[in-house]
Amino acid sequence: MTQQKKVIIIGSGLGGLSCGAILAKNGYDVTVLEQGVQVGGCLQCFSRRGAKFETGMHFIGSAAHGQTLDKLMRYLEIDKTVTLSQLDPQGYDVVSLGGKKYAFANGREAFLKQMTEYFPSQHDNLVRYYNLIEEIANASSLHSLKYADSDSPLNMEYQLRSINAVIEEVITDPLLAKVLVGNLPLYAAEKDKTPFATHAFIMDFYNQSAFRVKGGSDSIATALMGTINRYGGEVLTRKKVTRIICDDTHAVGVEVNGKDTLPCDIIISDAHPMRTLELLDTKLIRPAFRKRINHIPQTVGGFSVYLHFKEKTVPYLNYNYYGYQGDTPWDCERYTPESWPKGFLYMHFCPEGDTQYASTGVILSYMQMADVEQWKGTKVGRRGQDYEDFKREKAERLLDVLEEHFPNIRSQIQNYYTSTPLTYLDYTGTEGGSMYGNAKDISLGSACRVPQRTKVPNLYLTGQNINSHGMLGVLVGTIVTCSELLTAKTIYEQIKEANE
């Protein structure tokens, strides 16, 4: 019987916790094992000197009543405990390029009206662009939550064409083409590589509506734990899975902390696929599969400066700000030590109470793992003075750039903290300190795809690498993974029922 099947989930990121919630609701005996002291993965927040900072899930989209994420939150039973604050519908994203600012408005008509005011000659092209975004998003049964046996061929076509190629075909103004990819730090897009479908899903997701999580996205992790617990499951911290134990035909359990063995019927890994393969010593996984997974390119890493503002000095910024030093967002990954940073993303933390003033914020810019490679293998807080000097120099440079966009901001900061790709590697286990895990590359096609099902019959994968990163991307991956046990039709029917 389903009720008797024991599921062990490795990792308590959004993928692991949401899989746990769905399976627990469906009668599975769920145990989530987290190696750290704090659950959540990229949902984690941290506090310093009484100030709280967001690390990963800075904002979400499509969460207004009846929209896709709202339906999923209701299904996961977290809608009543996670409180959202809507970003400015007239400009939830602001792109600063070439000394001018361009606001992205929520909703089809508002978006087209605003962009047409900036680029009057491009109205018809903007309509074509927006139509294409909607068509691609609606062609995906997973993203639209409309059950279908198979997706439209349109979806596949734009998985194989690059963002810049499609936009340059539709948009004839080169500046507008650059503005439309101004939010590319959200998915670390690369020119001539990242599929247009990825851009379409992101644009559709946030353009419907955009929100921050009041008090921090760790409340999402707490709420999902609550759902798991309500249905008899448990989430355990300080439980590092050191081995997945297999016999000749399937997985039989996991080794925890190098000593304890926990038997189970099903294993779901929310760890990076490369980390999962490191736990497996079995002939069921072929060398060719290991080689393919280990050679999938990773998205770029990030350098973050977490800002603690002086009390009641910085008005709360109800939008996300993308600033570029060059004339195109596409160059941000291709920097030299002298030219860094070529761009940045600046956001404020949404407090639980009054939002008149911001207490904390973050500046995020790209950083390659190669920049911090010399300190790889060291531990957090024990990397040495040269590492601290490196971070300080980078932080000061990033603050100088922010000051150009927001004059006097430096005088309003009382403390700041930093993180590099090494920090991300230590806290999330993602390969190379990558911000978003595996990269999508049209030239590699399906070779970039990580299947939810492995050659070990009862071992499945979940998380941002199965579909895409971000809250909707990960939850879509969760549906794909849980469909292996429940069927997609069952999950869609349950989502529909939860929203009636």
Side-chain angles (χ1 to χ4, degrees):
M1 293 292 289
T2 297
Q3 287 82 350
Q4 298 172 338
K5 288 193 174 180
K6 180 166 182 58
V7 180
I8 285 181
I9 298 174
I10 304 170
S12 68
L14 177 59
L17 291 174
S18 54
C19 278
I22 292 174
L23 295 179
K25 280 165 62 79
N26 280 277
Y28 287 81
D29 180 3
V30 171
T31 300
V32 181
L33 301 176
E34 167 57 47
Q35 66 177 350
V37 297
Q38 186 178 352
V39 301
C42 293
L43 296 171
Q44 291 181 61
C45 297
F46 71 93
S47 297
R48 295 285 186 277
R49 301 182 186 181
K52 192 172 183 180
F53 303 89
E54 191 79 71
T55 67
M57 194 73 69
H58 295 98
F59 73 115
I60 60 177
S62 295
H65 182 72
Q67 293 178 348
T68 303
L69 192 56
D70 174 61
K71 291 178 180 178
L72 289 172
M73 291 176 70
R74 290 172 187 272
Y75 173 52
L76 293 166
E77 301 180 18
I78 63 173
D79 57 299
K80 290 183 173 59
T81 48
V82 175
T83 307
L84 303 179
S85 174
Q86 187 165 10
L87 295 179
D88 186 355
Q90 300 306 311
Y92 63 96
D93 276 350
V94 173
V95 174
S96 176
L97 191 62
K100 293 185 179 180
K101 295 180 177 64
Y102 304 90
F104 287 44
N106 280 129
R108 178 190 175 91
E109 296 310 317
F111 177 85
L112 291 174
K113 181 176 182 293
Q114 183 70 281
M115 283 296 162
T116 299
E117 288 179 6
Y118 299 135
F119 301 94
S121 68
Q122 294 292 301
H123 174 75
D124 290 348
N125 290 338
L126 281 162
V127 171
R128 288 176 61 206
Y129 164 80
Y130 205 97
N131 287 345
L132 189 55
I133 296 293
E134 289 187 321
E135 286 170 16
I136 293 169
N138 290 332
S140 167
S141 59
L142 287 164
H143 286 81
S144 61
L145 294 184
K146 297 171 184 174
Y147 178 70
D149 291 331
S150 62
D151 285 342
S152 161
L154 179 80
N155 204 322
M156 182 57 67
E157 176 187 351
Y158 288 98
Q159 292 286 1
L160 300 174
R161 300 187 64 195
S162 72
I163 296 171
N164 52 293
V166 174
I167 288 182
E168 287 164 11
E169 187 178 273
V170 175
I171 302 295
T172 55
D173 186 314
L175 178 57
L176 174 57
K178 294 170 185 175
V179 170
L180 291 175
V181 296
N183 63 354
L184 61 78
L186 293 178
Y187 49 108
E190 292 187 73
K191 194 172 186 179
D192 300 322
K193 292 184 178 181
T194 307
F196 183 78
T198 299
H199 171 82
F201 291 140
I202 294 287
M203 284 296 294
D204 179 74
F205 180 51
Y206 291 112
N207 199 254
Q208 289 188 42
S209 61
F211 296 81
R212 291 196 181 120
V213 182
K214 280 198 168 190
S217 64
D218 54 355
S219 66
I220 296 173
T222 301
L224 287 169
M225 284 176 58
T227 303
I228 293 169
N229 292 337
R230 273 196 303 280
Y231 289 93
E234 57 182 354
V235 181
L236 306 176
T237 58
R238 300 178 188 269
K239 302 291 184 183
K240 181 180 174 124
V241 174
T242 44
R243 188 161 62 101
I244 296 173
I245 305 166
C246 299
D247 61 16
D248 291 339
T249 60
H250 66 296
V252 295
V254 298
E255 176 189 83
V256 179
N257 296 333
K259 53 180 181 179
D260 301 320
T261 299
L262 296 180
C264 61
D265 301 298
I266 298 160
I267 298 172
I268 298 174
S269 178
D270 187 29
H272 189 283
M274 290 174 67
R275 303 289 84 81
T276 304
L277 289 179
E278 290 167 0
L279 302 174
L280 283 162
D281 181 15
T282 172
K283 292 179 180 178
L284 294 169
I285 302 293
R286 297 173 182 172
F289 179 76
R290 289 182 185 271
K291 184 177 181 181
R292 182 174 77 78
I293 295 298
N294 290 339
H295 282 81
I296 295 176
Q298 303 296 304
T299 56
V300 68
F303 179 77
S304 299
V305 182
Y306 303 95
L307 308 172
H308 183 187
F309 301 122
K310 294 176 182 176
E311 190 173 356
K312 295 184 178 180
T313 61
V314 179
Y316 176 68
L317 208 66
N318 200 26
Y319 57 87
N320 310 301
Y321 186 91
Y322 305 81
Y324 294 98
Q325 302 306 96
D327 67 349
T328 174
W330 287 116
D331 286 342
C332 290
E333 282 191 55
R334 301 178 181 89
Y335 60 81
T336 63
E338 295 73 29
S339 67
W340 185 91
K342 289 191 172 183
F344 67 90
L345 169 57
Y346 173 54
M347 297 168 286
H348 285 174
F349 179 87
C350 183
E352 288 188 29
D354 180 32
T355 55
Q356 183 178 355
Y357 293 99
S359 58
T360 66
V362 63
I363 326 169
L364 176 64
S365 190
Y366 288 161
M367 179 173 281
Q368 303 287 353
M369 189 63 170
D371 294 339
V372 290
E373 191 74 33
Q374 69 189 87
W375 297 287
K376 195 172 181 181
T378 58
K379 294 184 178 180
V380 174
R382 299 179 186 177
R383 304 199 199 278
Q385 188 58 46
D386 52 349
Y387 178 72
E388 297 301 322
D389 292 342
F390 168 84
K391 292 197 299 176
R392 188 175 299 107
E393 188 270 331
K394 295 295 185 185
E396 291 295 325
R397 194 182 297 187
L398 203 47
L399 286 168
D400 286 343
V401 172
L402 185 67
E403 180 83 10
E404 294 175 15
H405 292 256
F406 294 86
N408 302 317
I409 191 70
R410 269 185 170 276
S411 65
Q412 298 165 331
I413 299 168
Q414 59 173 308
N415 294 300
Y416 70 75
Y417 312 93
T418 56
S419 69
T420 73
L422 282 177
T423 320
Y424 219 68
L425 174 64
D426 285 349
Y427 280 101
T428 68
T430 188
E431 178 63 17
S434 160
M435 284 195 291
Y436 307 127
N438 291 350
K440 306 287 192 300
D441 187 333
I442 59 169
S443 67
L444 297 175
S446 61
C448 279
R449 183 178 176 272
V450 177
Q452 73 277 8
R453 188 189 310 165
T454 73
K455 293 297 184 181
V456 180
N458 58 337
L459 170 63
Y460 304 95
L461 305 178
T462 193
Q464 65 180 3
N465 295 291
I466 303 310
N467 174 66
S468 181
H469 68 284
M471 190 158 180
L472 182 60
V474 172
L475 292 180
V476 165
T478 290
I479 294 172
V480 170
T481 301
C482 290
S483 294
E484 294 290 331
L485 305 175
L486 302 171
T487 78
K489 190 172 184 180
T490 297
I491 295 175
Y492 281 109
E493 288 174 350
Q494 290 179 353
I495 293 171
K496 183 179 179 181
E497 184 179 333
N499 284 274
E500 288 177 346

